[in-house]
Amino acid sequence: MPSEFKDKVREQFGRTAAGYVQSKGFAGGADLEEAVRLLKPTPEDSLLDVACGGGHTALFFAPLVRSVVASDLTMAMLKKAQEFISEEGRVDNVMFREADAEDLPFPAGSFTMLTCRIAPHHFPDVPRALREFHRVLRRGGRLVIIDTLLPDDPEIAEFYQAMEKMRDPTHVRAYRREEWTEMLQEADLILHETRVFPKTHDFHDWAKRAGLKREGIQNLNRFLMEAPEKVHDFFQIETFAGEVETYTDQKLLLYASRPEKK
């Protein structure tokens, strides 16, 4: 990950860490429940949660496994996640580690499970991150990745990319299902199942969580309001009196594993 961009990510998420911890959209959901169903965690499992954000995924899995390492590039985010999990007072098996997803500071085969939720679209080099996921997993280790699914329609996909970059300058890109499949295969990971989940966002909460001020929110609102009809239809954009109230995108869950043998 280029150092200048890495610093930009740290600055962005350092400023907005509290908003991510407090976000109800990250605290639970059908995607997390499906991740548990597919991964089948046991008290013998050791889990690495990559780009842990506010710590919600780590906390969700902690009661189900032996240990969790919650890692993130941004130390300020890690501190907020640690405060959040400590205040919950229900688990004592979560450790926190500053880490770049593309250069994980863990020995090979350190974990039996890995999760990475709503984060890869910030990675400049997803294939490199996937190779790191493969390396730190034991043979036969399981992983779940969840991120926004890029639409197949080129015009809608271009709109989505532009919208995300307007909201958050550290957004790199989302990927189509076929692109994910190819990247996992190239990283020598076995893709077992995929799931797609619609996720509805309150527009103002979504924009403010990224740190946008009034002018930025107004510009983003205008961008969505003036979008072509098929974009409005695809994202189910709900408006009232010239203001966007909600929009709905799709999250892709990928369940994969490291091969048992080479």
Side-chain angles (χ1 to χ4, degrees):
M1 182 183 290
S3 59
E4 289 183 5
F5 185 82
K6 190 183 303 183
D7 291 340
K8 193 174 184 180
V9 171
R10 288 194 180 101
E11 179 184 355
Q12 170 72 7
F13 286 96
R15 288 189 297 106
T16 61
Y20 281 87
V21 171
Q22 296 164 6
S23 173
K24 294 180 180 179
F26 286 95
D31 61 329
L32 276 179
E33 294 170 6
E34 184 68 3
V36 168
R37 189 189 74 80
L38 291 168
L39 288 169
K40 296 180 174 59
T42 74
E44 287 73 46
D45 278 311
S46 55
L47 169 70
L48 173 63
D49 185 31
V50 178
C52 70
H56 301 97
T57 302
L59 179 59
F60 200 85
F61 275 88
L64 308 173
V65 299
R66 176 170 58 83
S67 63
V68 178
V69 175
S71 71
D72 202 277
L73 181 67
T74 306
M75 181 56 72
M77 183 69 84
L78 274 177
K79 289 180 178 178
K80 287 294 183 182
Q82 186 171 16
E83 291 172 7
F84 165 67
I85 291 177
S86 297
E87 287 170 2
E88 290 296 310
R90 294 187 285 113
V91 297
D92 59 3
N93 62 339
V94 182
M95 296 170 285
F96 300 85
R97 184 73 181 271
E98 185 178 12
D100 183 341
E102 297 170 6
D103 189 18
L104 294 170
F106 308 107
S110 294
F111 304 94
T112 62
M113 291 199 315
L114 183 149
T115 53
C116 185
R117 183 175 179 234
I118 319 299
H121 62 276
H122 295 288
F123 301 168
D125 193 341
V126 170
R128 178 173 174 176
L130 292 177
R131 291 194 296 272
E132 281 292 273
F133 294 0
H134 179 285
R135 182 183 65 81
V136 301
L137 276 173
R138 294 180 192 173
R139 291 183 182 178
R142 303 96 73 201
L143 72 155
V144 159
I145 298 169
I146 303 169
D147 207 10
T148 302
L149 178 62
L150 188 68
D152 288 327
D153 183 292
E155 184 179 357
I156 299 175
E158 183 180 359
F159 173 88
Y160 173 78
Q161 292 289 100
M163 176 184 73
E164 279 288 3
K165 286 182 179 293
M166 285 181 69
R167 173 183 177 258
D168 183 347
T170 67
H171 171 81
V172 177
R173 64 161 297 189
Y175 295 89
R176 293 179 290 106
R177 191 197 307 251
E178 292 76 11
E179 291 176 299
W180 272 113
T181 299
E182 183 177 341
M183 290 190 294
L184 287 165
Q185 290 174 344
E186 289 177 351
D188 193 26
L189 292 164
I190 303 169
L191 177 61
H192 300 289
E193 295 189 46
T194 63
R195 297 281 189 275
V196 176
F197 299 90
K199 184 169 184 178
T200 299
H201 305 264
D202 179 281
F203 173 78
H204 283 277
D205 288 348
W206 172 75
K208 289 178 180 178
R209 188 169 65 243
L212 285 184
K213 304 301 182 184
R214 182 179 178 183
E215 183 179 358
I217 293 174
Q218 289 175 339
N219 290 338
L220 191 56
N221 180 80
R222 187 179 309 112
F223 186 69
L224 268 74
M225 289 295 297
E226 296 175 355
E229 183 177 353
K230 71 174 181 177
V231 170
H232 274 254
D233 291 342
F234 183 88
F235 290 111
Q236 301 171 45
I237 298 173
E238 298 289 339
T239 66
F240 180 75
E243 299 286 333
V244 176
E245 293 192 320
T246 65
Y247 87 95
T248 300
D249 61 14
Q250 294 182 324
K251 304 303 179 188
L252 175 67
L253 182 153
L254 303 121
Y255 168 53
S257 67
R258 177 177 173 174
E260 290 278 359
K261 298 179 181 180
K262 289 186 177 180

